[in-house]
Amino acid sequence: DAKTTQPNSMESNEEEPVHLPCNHSTISGTDYIHWYRQLPSQGPEYVIHGLTSNVNNRMASLAIAEDRKSSTLILHRATLRDAAVYYCILKTSGTYKYIFGTGTRLKVLA
Amino acid sequence: ETGVTQTPRHLVMGMTNKKSLKCEQHLGHNAMYWYKQSAKKPLELMFVYSLEERVENNSVPSRFSPECPNSSHLFLHLHTLQPEDSALYLCASSPLAFSNSPLHFGNGTRLTVT
């Protein structure tokens, strides 16, 4: 299973953009990049996913490097409700395995 | 409301007890999953069901026994657990097991084994 590497923790000020990095140097051509987040006392929540092109949705944007060895989750304006653990996951197309790492704990400062 | 409901939210059991965790989804999904989340550890995939057939049993001890009677319900039967089994048990569902559709998680059952 391909692995991802994320910083253990990050801090951001409220209403500022946040860039959460993820390295996945062993990614294969059929691996999709998924991001989930887990708020305190809740199960993980889907944020966004992509294969090669950058992706946007109402929650966030996903920027994928041209060589696909890294990606960045972008929260355009962090709020206190965005404080959570963010997981970057590689999922091989055609399989059912989502392999979670330890993620990045995001702290948002008021 | 996440669309995936787990009961109970909290459970305390002795090592000789037998209990069951329940998961229910009304999203029309065909795949259901059990994950274990221990303190300061990544989520561990335990079991996967696709169209009510088990497709993954990730070296989980036999004291954990899953059951999927239909595509909307998933159970985890527990017996003679150990204190190290104390963890948050998360259920998830997805439209299809082998697609890239996102997982939908419940809020988990916090299990404490005494």
Side-chain angles (χ1 to χ4, degrees), chain B:
Chain B
E1 179 56 53
T2 65
V4 178
T5 303
Q6 291 188 243
T7 54
R9 287 300 307 273
H10 301 272
L11 178 62
V12 179
M13 60 185 287
M15 288 191 283
T16 57
N17 290 159
K18 288 185 181 181
K19 295 285 184 185
S20 295
L21 309 185
K22 180 182 176 182
C23 176
E24 188 172 357
Q25 59 91 7
H26 295 289
L27 300 169
H29 290 171
N30 289 309
M32 296 189 79
Y33 310 74
W34 280 116
Y35 279 87
K36 175 184 178 183
Q37 187 172 35
S38 304
K40 303 202 191 289
K41 283 187 174 181
L43 274 77
E44 300 171 55
L45 179 63
M46 299 176 73
F47 301 105
V48 180
Y49 278 83
S50 175
L51 297 169
E52 298 150 48
E53 274 198 43
R54 194 190 309 179
V55 296
E56 173 74 26
N57 178 357
N58 196 20
S59 303
V60 179
S62 59
R63 57 185 184 270
F64 295 91
S65 174
E67 179 190 1
C68 187
N70 55 62
S71 59
S72 298
H73 294 87
L74 185 65
F75 295 90
L76 188 62
H77 303 298
L78 316 170
H79 65 96
T80 58
L81 294 192
Q82 305 297 312
E84 60 264 29
D85 297 322
S86 298
L88 181 68
Y89 289 85
L90 290 158
C91 172
S93 70
S94 68
L96 293 169
F98 299 93
S99 72
N100 281 300
S101 307
L103 294 175
H104 295 248
F105 281 88
N107 286 326
T109 295
R110 173 72 60 188
L111 174 68
T112 303
V113 181
T114 61

